[in-house]
Amino acid sequence: MGLHDSRYGFINTCLKSLVVEKYGEETWEKLRIQTAVQDTFLTFEVYKDEITMQLIDKACKMLDVPPDMVLKQFGEFFFEFCKRSGYDHMLRTLGGNLYEFIENLDALHSYLSLSYQEMNAPSFRVEKNEDGSMHLHYYSDRRGLCHIVPGIIGAAALDFFNTEISMEIVNQTEEEERTGKKEHIVFLVTQKPVFSYKKRNKFSSSPQYIADSGRRIEKQLNKEIRDRTSLVSVCPAKKNHWETIRGIITLGRGKLLRGFDPAYPTTLWIDTKTFCNGLPFHVVFDEELRIKQAGVSIQKIVPGLQTMGIRLDHYFSIVHPEVTFTISSVQKFINSQFVFRTRREMMPESWKQRPMLELRGQMIWMESLQCMLYLCSPLLRTLHELEERQMHIADIAPHDVTRDLILLNQQRLAEMELSNQLERKKEELRILSKHLEEEKKKTEALLYAMLPKHVANQLKEGKRVEAGEFKECTILFSDVVTFTNICTQCEPIQIVLMLNSMYLRFDRLTTVHDVYKVETIGDAYMVVGGVPVPVSTHAERVANFALGIIIAAKEVKNPVSGKPIQIRVGIHTGPVLAGVVGEKMPRYCLFGDTVNIASRMESHGVPSKIHLSPTAYYCLKDKSFEMTERGEIEVKGKGKMHTYFLIRNRTATENEIMGNPIKESDSDKVELAQQRTNYFHSLLIPIKLNVCSHLPSAMQPNSDQDQPPTIAMKYVDSPTETQVSYTGRSQERIMDFTGIFFVTEYSNSGVRKHLRLDPAN
């Protein structure tokens, strides 16, 4: 993959992996939101450069890290990311040392461009200095990314060649020969071998150790060769030249010596015609760029080349490297791969509609002839491109690997397309899965709003929910005073809006006091404390909830009069049966006489008052509530009952009851509550905080109502011992804060008795 080429998703994926691994998923999510980019990138998809630039810029600001440090870190990570992505062996085989590695980077990019046609990779040129350092020339179309290079090159040098390097930017003006690239940076590269303890011993395999060993072996080998040569001169038996050579090779264990010089024939044993046929794609041109010789296939494709002496730049333009078409520029970049493209205006009229042919190859300067030899092959990616230019495999020499490259790349492109399709399908499935998860959460939120969570989970798993018996709970009913008259005088939408405004406030208070909303029927609102999760503070929770809804009702307007509505509230405490009823629309329902009595307390109540039954009164009697007697009244179906009114909570502030943030004016009561809490702590009584999750978004109050944040009220629940059933009555033991047990006893007649027992008894 092209170094820091940001056109393909591979680069952005690498950048995401760096942020996630180094700084965590949350940092990436913040960065993604700030730059408004997608969460995932397809490997073979082409993206705009601005995406990568924005990600890097925002990352620098968010992490408060200098850009050069972020880019260098990205370069180091990019090298490791390429290795993990399958480019490890390809990178290792680029060269035997750092100089060769850098020198062949452009060749790697040229090969990869066969598959990644939109790739716009940077270019590198390296020069050796006498002191062993190097000057690395970096060319790129993208400004400001040069600090990635030290990260990549440094990581490669340490990993492949066990060498630490330092790279500093050398100020240098733009080269006149270079065209096209916007940025040209020159780095001074110095190397320093890295030795560990293991690599200093005799079994070391570091490059420096191997090189030193090679020199020692070669020195000893040369000595042995000289000794053998002296022996041969003394010996009367003569050996021919090839026997001596075979002896040297055997002595050197099959490796040629460093001082080996190739042998050249006195004359070239190949005629001109054979040379031009054997190398069908080659051009020889002089310093004036005039063509002296050309292969037969290139003459066929570019008819003008049949006339010797014409200028090469008339028929070709240089695509890579982006330099001016002069002999000096070519000589300066002679180690680079050169890509030529035929000029459309010089082609025959019938050929001008064809795609122009590109040639790729190397330049060789022939000093004796003062001419340049361009050995090349057609740059073709697929068989389709071959057909478009009306060429055939036969036009390419059998020894030229371009034949195999076209066929292999054809297969690779097909595999890439298949991989791309799979990646797209995977991304589509990921998005669908994400949407499904969101919808699942919405469905669960709606289900949990209709049924208790543990009941809903059992139903989701297909299990049967058994009915349960609760020995003691507190039930509340409320309704709107003169609701029937309001309905007859208003439009239906006004009734709906009024009830919705009221119920949204009531629902919020169920979260504050952790009571369960059973159901609403018309204007009737029913909640229960101590069901489905038994708690000892069920009566206090419902009482505080009742005080809260009286306050909340004052904020709801009567659509007829425009004044606040009035509600009646009734509360009763007693045992109930609870279970799920129905399959099509299952509801968690309560059964028993307790429900009937609670309903009677509401219907026999007084507007804007909280009507308490005797059992509810006894549960709240020793708590921090102010209550007053109503007296004996006739209750339909129950006879005479002595009932009460709940007035207020002596210790809790209105803000606490409503679940609002505490104001400074309540500081005195906050201090009192804190003292009470400290007292409980001194008795080593565990405190349980019942903090409920927020309601679903569909049930939240509208933004125009300016609802304050919901703060759950704290309750102290005493541990409840196992309930014991007796004939005709049930008994429950509850420990209070002082360690003394209260026994609550229910008889068949419904009379409640309280006994105070010592724990020892």
Side-chain angles (χ1 to χ4, degrees):
M1 194 68 187
L3 297 178
H4 65 262
D5 168 36
S6 61
R7 294 187 64 86
Y8 282 93
F10 184 87
I11 300 299
N12 296 330
T13 302
C14 174
L15 185 56
K16 174 188 174 180
S17 299
L18 170 63
V19 175
V20 170
E21 288 191 19
K22 298 289 184 182
Y23 305 103
E25 285 279 1
E26 292 182 359
T27 303
W28 164 252
E29 189 62 23
K30 292 179 182 177
L31 181 61
R32 185 188 69 80
I33 293 172
Q34 287 188 15
T35 52
V37 300
Q38 62 266 48
D39 186 40
T40 57
F41 302 92
L42 301 179
T43 303
F44 305 110
E45 187 76 20
V46 178
Y47 297 91
K48 292 182 179 179
D49 290 342
E50 287 77 8
I51 293 178
T52 307
M53 300 299 187
Q54 288 177 10
L55 286 171
I56 292 174
D57 180 59
K58 293 292 183 182
C60 294
K61 294 177 181 177
M62 181 186 297
L63 302 173
D64 194 22
V65 179
D68 56 340
M69 187 178 297
V70 171
L71 291 172
K72 184 178 180 182
Q73 193 176 34
F74 174 65
E76 294 171 350
F77 188 82
F78 179 75
F79 174 75
E80 293 298 327
F81 192 76
C82 288
K83 287 175 58 182
R84 283 189 240 159
S85 301
Y87 293 94
D88 185 23
H89 296 296
M90 186 181 294
L91 292 170
R92 287 183 184 276
T93 54
L94 284 184
N97 53 55
L98 185 60
Y99 175 83
E100 293 175 352
F101 177 84
I102 300 173
E103 193 177 40
N104 285 281
L105 280 176
D106 278 14
L108 173 63
H109 294 157
S110 178
Y111 164 73
L112 293 175
S113 66
L114 292 174
S115 301
Y116 301 92
Q117 299 184 25
E118 298 291 333
M119 190 173 76
N120 183 18
S123 182
F124 297 89
R125 181 168 63 87
V126 63
E127 298 172 344
K128 280 186 177 179
N129 300 323
E130 293 182 359
D131 60 355
S133 63
M134 296 181 290
H135 278 104
L136 171 60
H137 295 260
Y138 159 82
Y139 306 91
S140 176
D141 280 344
R142 303 174 181 90
R143 295 186 182 275
L145 297 179
C146 62
H147 294 288
I148 294 179
V149 178
I152 296 175
I153 301 300
L158 188 62
D159 192 309
F160 293 161
F161 311 112
N162 198 40
T163 301
E164 282 186 353
I165 66 168
S166 63
M167 294 180 65
E168 57 178 309
I169 296 177
V170 179
N171 293 326
Q172 184 169 323
T173 58
E174 284 284 344
E175 294 177 298
E176 296 179 359
E177 295 87 353
R178 192 81 189 188
T179 62
K181 296 294 183 183
K182 299 173 184 176
E183 187 171 66
H184 170 213
I185 304 294
V186 182
F187 295 93
L188 176 63
V189 184
T190 56
Q191 303 181 67
K192 181 182 178 182
V194 178
F195 295 102
S196 63
Y197 174 77
K198 291 182 179 180
K199 297 195 176 193
R200 282 197 297 266
N201 62 29
K202 64 181 180 178
F203 300 108
S204 175
S205 58
S206 69
Q208 186 64 36
Y209 181 87
I210 293 173
D212 293 343
S213 300
R215 283 193 288 272
R216 289 195 298 271
I217 293 172
E218 182 180 336
K219 186 176 179 181
Q220 181 65 26
L221 183 60
N222 290 336
K223 181 177 181 301
E224 293 180 8
I225 292 173
R226 287 196 298 272
D227 293 342
R228 287 177 63 88
T229 305
S230 61
L231 289 174
V232 168
S233 61
V234 174
C235 182
K238 292 184 177 181
K239 291 185 178 181
N240 61 33
H241 171 74
W242 289 111
E243 289 177 345
T244 305
I245 293 298
R246 280 196 297 271
I248 293 173
I249 293 175
T250 303
L251 212 60
R253 298 186 182 181
K255 296 183 179 179
L256 296 178
L257 303 179
R258 285 178 176 269
F260 171 76
D261 293 324
Y264 298 103
T266 53
T267 59
L268 191 61
W269 288 88
I270 183 171
D271 62 89
T272 306
K273 187 175 181 181
T274 304
F275 188 89
C276 291
N277 285 320
L279 297 173
F281 290 94
H282 81 276
V283 181
V284 177
F285 56 96
D286 61 14
E287 294 176 325
E288 303 296 326
L289 302 181
R290 296 196 177 277
I291 296 176
K292 300 296 183 180
Q293 181 179 312
V296 292
S297 292
I298 199 171
Q299 291 180 34
K300 178 182 176 182
I301 297 168
V302 188
L305 299 186
Q306 291 173 324
T307 305
M308 298 297 106
I310 63 171
R311 287 179 61 90
L312 185 64
D313 56 345
H314 288 173
Y315 284 86
F316 292 96
S317 60
I318 300 179
V319 177
H320 180 83
E322 297 178 16
V323 296
T324 55
F325 209 148
T326 63
I327 199 72
S328 60
S329 298
V330 173
Q331 285 179 325
K332 196 166 189 178
F333 292 85
I334 200 166
N335 289 330
S336 300
Q337 275 200 340
F338 276 79
V339 178
F340 283 4
R341 181 186 294 144
T342 54
R343 293 185 179 274
R344 191 174 298 276
E345 64 270 17
M346 300 302 292
M347 293 296 100
E349 197 66 33
S350 60
W351 291 10
K352 287 186 178 180
Q353 301 305 319
R354 298 181 189 174
M356 293 296 98
L357 178 68
E358 291 185 350
L359 301 172
R360 178 181 61 181
Q362 70 172 121
M363 295 288 181
I364 301 174
W365 176 249
M366 297 180 290
E367 185 67 32
S368 59
L369 300 177
Q370 290 294 295
C371 286
M372 188 73 72
L373 170 63
Y374 181 44
L375 286 172
C376 58
S377 297
L379 182 55
L380 299 171
R381 298 175 177 85
T382 62
L383 295 174
H384 178 66
E385 291 184 2
L386 190 73
E387 292 174 348
E388 283 183 328
R389 291 155 182 81
Q390 296 186 6
M391 293 178 60
H392 304 86
I393 291 290
D395 294 327
I396 305 172
H399 66 79
D400 194 337
V401 295
T402 304
R403 287 181 168 213
D404 299 328
L405 190 61
I406 292 172
L407 298 174
L408 289 173
N409 199 55
Q410 177 85 25
Q411 180 182 359
R412 173 171 169 75
L413 289 174
E415 292 173 352
M416 283 178 59
E417 179 61 27
L418 180 60
S419 177
N420 197 16
Q421 291 178 9
L422 291 174
E423 197 170 2
R424 287 180 181 278
K425 291 296 182 185
K426 178 182 175 183
E427 178 63 13
E428 290 175 7
L429 288 174
R430 188 191 69 81
I431 295 173
L432 288 174
S433 176
K434 184 178 180 181
H435 290 167
L436 182 62
E437 188 65 29
E438 292 173 356
E439 293 300 321
K440 181 183 176 184
K441 289 180 180 178
K442 292 179 183 178
T443 304
E444 287 181 347
L446 183 60
L447 185 61
Y448 294 154
M450 297 171 59
L451 296 168
K453 189 171 183 179
H454 71 282
V455 173
N457 290 335
Q458 284 181 299
L459 290 176
K460 283 197 305 180
E461 295 171 3
K463 298 179 181 178
R464 181 174 177 177
V465 181
E466 298 292 339
E469 180 182 359
F470 295 85
K471 299 298 182 182
E472 188 176 70
C473 69
T474 300
I475 297 175
L476 174 147
F477 276 93
S478 75
D479 74 341
V480 178
V481 179
T482 68
F483 181 71
T484 304
N485 295 335
I486 295 174
C487 290
T488 59
Q489 300 177 51
C490 293
E491 296 292 330
I493 187 62
Q494 292 177 294
I495 302 299
V496 171
L497 292 175
M498 181 192 76
L499 291 178
N500 186 56
S501 177
M502 181 179 73
Y503 288 160
L504 286 175
R505 288 171 168 80
F506 289 7
D507 290 345
R508 179 177 173 273
L509 289 170
T510 61
T511 301
V512 174
H513 302 287
D514 194 15
V515 292
Y516 177 64
K517 174 184 175 182
V518 181
E519 63 181 347
T520 58
I521 302 176
D523 64 325
Y525 196 95
M526 177 183 177
V527 300
V528 61
V531 176
V533 179
V535 289
S536 61
T537 56
H538 54 85
E540 295 116 284
R541 293 172 187 271
V542 174
N544 285 325
F545 174 80
L547 293 169
I549 64 175
I550 292 291
I551 298 171
K554 296 176 182 178
E555 301 175 2
V556 182
K557 302 296 182 182
N558 184 327
V560 176
S561 64
K563 297 179 180 180
I565 64 171
Q566 288 184 310
I567 61 172
R568 281 189 297 262
V569 180
I571 299 176
H572 176 61
T573 299
V576 295
L577 292 175
V580 177
V581 176
E583 292 183 356
K584 191 170 185 180
M585 287 189 64
R587 299 294 299 172
Y588 189 72
C589 298
L590 305 183
F591 304 94
D593 197 42
T594 300
V595 179
N596 298 327
I597 297 175
S599 179
R600 295 288 185 270
M601 291 298 101
E602 175 268 317
S603 61
H604 290 72
V606 178
S608 299
K609 293 283 188 178
I610 303 170
H611 195 198
L612 300 178
S613 70
T615 54
Y617 169 77
Y618 284 120
C619 281
L620 298 173
K621 182 179 179 182
D622 298 324
K623 309 299 180 184
S624 57
F625 292 95
E626 180 181 335
M627 294 172 286
T628 183
E629 285 192 41
R630 182 184 183 183
E632 195 174 81
I633 64 170
E634 184 73 24
V635 178
K636 182 180 178 181
K638 298 297 176 184
K640 293 185 178 183
M641 292 183 68
H642 199 84
T643 61
Y644 305 83
F645 286 127
L646 174 63
I647 306 301
R648 67 186 180 95
N649 188 321
R650 295 192 186 94
T651 58
T653 65
E654 182 176 312
N655 282 322
E656 287 178 316
I657 290 174
M658 299 302 293
N660 297 335
I662 299 176
K663 298 179 180 178
E664 293 182 1
S665 59
D666 299 322
S667 58
D668 53 341
K669 294 187 178 181
V670 173
E671 184 178 358
L672 179 62
Q674 184 64 43
Q675 292 175 357
R676 191 165 65 251
T677 303
N678 292 339
Y679 172 70
F680 294 153
H681 277 295
S682 67
L683 296 175
L684 301 179
I685 300 298
I687 294 179
K688 177 182 178 183
L689 302 181
N690 297 300
V691 181
C692 299
S693 60
H694 290 290
L695 293 171
S697 58
M699 300 180 61
Q700 292 291 350
N702 297 330
S703 58
D704 59 353
Q705 293 173 330
D706 194 21
Q707 289 291 335
T710 301
I711 299 177
M713 192 169 178
K714 299 177 182 179
Y715 290 92
V716 180
D717 283 307
S718 303
T720 302
E721 288 195 350
T722 305
Q723 298 175 345
V724 183
S725 296
Y726 293 89
T727 304
R729 63 182 182 179
S730 62
Q731 202 175 58
E732 178 183 12
R733 291 163 58 97
I734 303 176
M735 185 175 71
D736 73 350
F737 298 131
T738 60
I740 304 300
F741 282 90
F742 286 96
V743 176
T744 303
E745 187 175 292
Y746 302 93
S747 66
N748 291 337
S749 60
V751 179
R752 179 186 176 98
K753 299 178 182 179
H754 295 274
L755 300 175
R756 187 180 178 94
L757 302 177
D758 186 82
N761 298 328

